[in-house]
Amino acid sequence: MYSKVKSSTLHGLEAVEVTVESDVAFGLPSLNIVGLPDTAIRESKERVRTAIANSGFSFPDKRVTVNLSPADVRKVGTHFDLPIAVCILESSARKESRANSFAFLGELALDGKLNPVKGIMPMLTGLRDCGAAGIIIPAENSTEASLIDGVDIYPAETLRDVIEFIRDEKPLERVIFDPSAFINDHSASHDFADVAGQESAKRALQAAAAGMHNVLMIGAPGAGKTMLARRLPSVMPPMTYEERLEVTKIQSVYGDMPDGQALASERPFRAPDHTVSPAALIGGGRPIKAGEVTLAHLGILFLDELPEFSRAAIESLRKPMEDEQCAVSRVSGKIVFPSKFLTVCAMNPCPCGYFTGSKCRCTDYEIIKYRGKISGPIMDRIDIQKEVKPVNYFELEQEQESYTMTSREIREKVKKAREIQQIRYQNEPGINCNAQMSTALLQKYCVLDEKSRQLLKETSEKYGYSARVIHKLLRLARTSADLAEVENIRLEDVKRILNYRDLDRSNNKMLVVN
């Protein structure tokens, strides 16, 4: 007897429809699964056999062949347990059912219970787009499934519930589409008010959040670089519903969703260790999986102690930072992952960290070699290079009543600046913030008066800025004007953003000394 049902597999972050076929024929009792299954699917034989028996059904005492079509696409995941079990039972059953009308996703426990699976959201979306009339999933995935519209989704607790449903013996309640229940304002756990002093650094990070400008903070150990970086998510503009779905899709595939949460409520903040490999940072492996740059999509990628990362890992960031996507090519194929993120880096000014201070024992050669670990092309892609100076604890203790900017205040300014940008670029596809402006848009929206242009020209000649750096400075000046809610870029905006290039001045001093 022959039967088939629908299921799905993931190719990167995209779903591919899979037809699960089974044939029960006379021969020695066996279960063979073909069609490029991965190890998890090959090991499903005993799970499926035992789950069927413990659910009160009989596993056919014949030769069973299961095919996963298309046969040239590698199938990955334990969610094939349910469609394989259903297909086998349909092949050996004499009762009519509606199995052909549904798609199935779910991992089986040995007692027949359906366990939740990763990546349910993109697979449900893919099956819906392929025309599936109904999809049966584990009950524990139902909260996430309620974000998918346009298809009937039925959660089930056990394999028996599924079989009785498709045979019209027992009903299953359909998941109700209700995205409004998950859209809540994010309340950040970290606040910039916790950071004493560092007002200049806070303003630089405010500009970074408003225009999605990459940041490098340079300072001695204990100056507050990491503390500032970890509070940056608290001032980022709130995500739209579409952005939340994008982030949720990625977190669903890689199991990063917080328990009990169906829709991502805050922008990702990824802080990989400096020992991370290029493949873990960009993506790779077999099968190909997304890296940290994709897990940080629409959020923040924080690289602490940047010079301690391997040269290969740092250089691998060039394309994702520039193109907002990451193409991973291997012998098995090529997958393009999204990687639109804000890069935030931190580093010491020298190997010991106490540059120019009484504690510093580094030679000029050691300092130049240390800073030389960050190549010119990477530095060109970092808009803001801000020095974070150590604060005097005892002075701050005496000034406890002094005003400091809170995350709420900064976020309101960032939100207003981002709204200005969204109105400005509403007719520009693919552009929604200043950092994404093309050269043509720079000429349209970043016009400088003569004094501002002359100042930028003199600074460029002094530090040898490339055209890319000048373009980034113009985008940054546009953001400064947006934060001030003015239409044209002013001289004070240009002065302000040039003060965000502290590393240029520091490097220039070292070259003069040598």
Side-chain angles (χ1 to χ4, degrees):
M1 295 288 292
Y2 169 84
S3 68
K4 67 178 182 179
V5 297
K6 295 292 183 180
S7 189
S8 179
T9 191
L10 290 175
H11 185 66
L13 297 176
E14 300 301 322
V16 178
E17 185 183 33
V18 174
T19 300
V20 181
E21 304 173 291
S22 72
D23 181 76
V24 177
F26 290 105
L28 293 175
S30 62
L31 173 56
N32 298 308
I33 302 177
V34 296
L36 282 183
D38 72 338
T39 303
I41 300 174
R42 289 195 295 268
E43 288 181 349
S44 69
K45 295 179 183 180
E46 295 307 316
R47 287 198 303 272
V48 169
R49 189 189 300 272
T50 307
I52 287 176
N54 288 336
S55 297
F57 302 106
S58 298
F59 192 89
D61 191 20
K62 298 178 181 179
R63 179 169 60 84
V64 180
T65 302
V66 175
N67 178 47
L68 308 178
S69 176
D72 60 339
V73 175
R74 181 166 292 279
K75 320 303 184 304
V76 180
T78 58
H79 60 275
F80 283 103
D81 289 3
L82 179 59
I84 289 174
V86 171
C87 208
I88 291 173
L89 289 174
E90 289 304 294
S91 297
S92 57
R94 296 180 180 178
K95 295 183 179 180
E96 293 187 2
S97 74
R98 301 176 294 162
N100 289 338
S101 303
F102 296 93
F104 300 85
L105 302 168
E107 176 187 322
L108 287 173
L110 296 184
D111 61 354
K113 182 179 181 296
L114 292 183
N115 292 330
V117 296
K118 296 178 181 179
I120 195 76
M121 177 174 283
M123 287 191 287
L124 290 175
T125 304
L127 287 169
R128 177 198 63 189
D129 296 342
C130 290
I135 309 171
I136 299 178
I137 63 170
E140 291 184 45
N141 288 123
S142 58
T143 304
E144 193 174 340
S146 62
L147 299 171
I148 307 299
D149 191 17
V151 63
D152 292 335
I153 302 173
Y154 300 90
E157 294 283 351
T158 65
L159 175 61
R160 172 166 283 277
D161 291 340
V162 174
I163 298 302
E164 289 177 348
F165 173 68
I166 62 177
R167 291 178 180 175
D168 283 330
E169 297 174 0
K170 178 182 178 180
L172 289 176
E173 291 188 9
R174 184 170 59 86
V175 172
I176 304 300
F177 173 68
D178 184 19
S180 60
F182 306 105
I183 301 180
N184 300 312
D185 290 335
H186 167 56
S187 178
S189 57
H190 299 294
D191 196 296
F192 270 110
D194 301 331
V195 183
Q198 305 295 7
E199 299 302 317
S200 178
K202 290 178 184 178
R203 293 189 186 280
L205 292 176
Q206 173 183 277
M212 287 295 285
H213 302 287
N214 298 326
V215 186
L216 171 63
M217 292 182 285
I218 313 102
K225 304 184 295 295
T226 303
M227 192 176 186
L228 286 164
R230 291 197 176 277
R231 279 153 180 76
L232 187 55
S234 67
V235 302
M236 294 289 284
M239 290 190 291
T240 63
Y241 178 67
E242 290 72 22
E243 288 178 328
R244 289 187 178 196
L245 284 178
E246 280 192 65
V247 174
T248 302
K249 178 180 176 180
I250 295 170
Q251 293 179 346
S252 171
V253 172
Y254 296 102
D256 286 341
M257 287 295 296
D259 292 339
Q261 185 171 319
L263 187 65
S265 61
E266 58 184 280
R267 294 183 183 274
F269 182 89
R270 304 292 300 187
D273 188 78
H274 68 272
T275 58
V276 67
S277 67
L281 193 60
I282 301 301
R286 185 175 180 184
I288 298 174
K289 292 185 177 180
E292 291 289 337
V293 297
T294 300
L295 297 177
H297 180 58
L298 297 176
I300 298 169
L301 178 68
F302 177 47
L303 304 177
D304 202 2
E305 303 296 342
L306 182 61
E308 301 304 326
F309 285 75
S310 70
R311 184 66 178 258
I314 296 174
E315 293 302 313
S316 66
L317 291 172
R318 289 191 192 185
K319 292 288 285 181
M321 290 173 68
E322 194 74 17
D323 299 341
E324 298 184 345
Q325 63 180 19
C326 177
V328 181
S329 299
R330 297 292 185 269
V331 174
S332 57
K334 176 182 177 181
I335 296 179
V336 178
F337 294 105
S339 59
K340 186 189 299 182
F341 57 90
L342 174 61
T343 308
V344 181
C345 309
M347 63 177 284
N348 295 327
C350 65
C352 75
Y354 301 100
F355 179 61
T356 70
S358 58
K359 293 182 180 180
C360 185
R361 297 293 182 268
C362 301
T363 65
D364 290 344
Y365 171 76
E366 289 173 333
I367 297 173
I368 293 173
K369 182 180 179 182
Y370 178 77
R371 296 189 180 186
K373 292 180 179 179
I374 316 301
S375 68
I378 292 295
M379 293 303 295
D380 268 5
R381 287 167 169 81
I382 299 177
D383 312 46
I384 300 173
Q385 301 168 13
K386 188 63 183 171
E387 183 179 0
V388 181
K389 297 181 179 180
V391 296
N392 188 309
Y393 172 80
F394 298 101
E395 290 180 3
L396 290 172
E397 191 178 33
Q398 296 173 357
E399 300 176 1
Q400 288 182 351
E401 301 301 324
S402 62
Y403 169 75
T404 182
M405 290 190 292
T406 65
S407 289
R408 180 184 293 273
E409 293 170 329
I410 298 174
R411 194 182 195 195
E412 283 303 312
K413 293 182 179 180
V414 168
K415 186 177 179 181
K416 289 180 181 178
R418 190 62 72 88
E419 288 172 352
I420 291 172
Q421 295 168 51
Q422 289 173 347
I423 294 172
R424 179 186 300 134
Y425 306 125
Q426 60 185 343
N427 296 322
E428 305 292 341
I431 297 177
N432 52 33
C433 63
N434 288 333
Q436 298 174 325
M437 270 195 288
S438 63
T439 304
L441 292 177
L442 283 173
Q443 296 173 356
K444 182 178 180 181
Y445 296 116
C446 298
V447 179
L448 302 180
D449 58 38
E450 186 57 33
K451 289 184 178 180
S452 300
R453 185 177 181 279
Q454 187 61 29
L455 176 59
L456 183 59
K457 181 181 178 182
E458 291 174 359
T459 307
S460 174
E461 291 173 350
K462 181 178 180 180
Y463 298 119
Y465 289 154
S466 66
R468 178 193 285 143
V469 173
I470 294 173
H471 283 176
K472 287 189 173 294
L473 289 174
L474 289 172
R475 296 184 182 103
L476 192 54
R478 180 67 265 171
T479 299
S480 177
D482 290 341
L483 285 167
E485 300 183 44
V486 296
E487 183 176 352
N488 298 318
I489 297 175
R490 306 160 299 174
L491 178 60
E492 59 188 275
D493 294 316
V494 176
K495 289 180 178 179
R496 181 178 292 115
I497 61 102
L498 290 177
N499 284 329
Y500 293 159
R501 303 286 298 189
D502 291 335
L503 192 59
D504 295 331
R505 291 190 289 273
S506 178
N507 288 338
N508 193 58
K509 288 180 182 178
M510 291 191 61
L511 291 174
V512 171
V513 170
N514 286 288

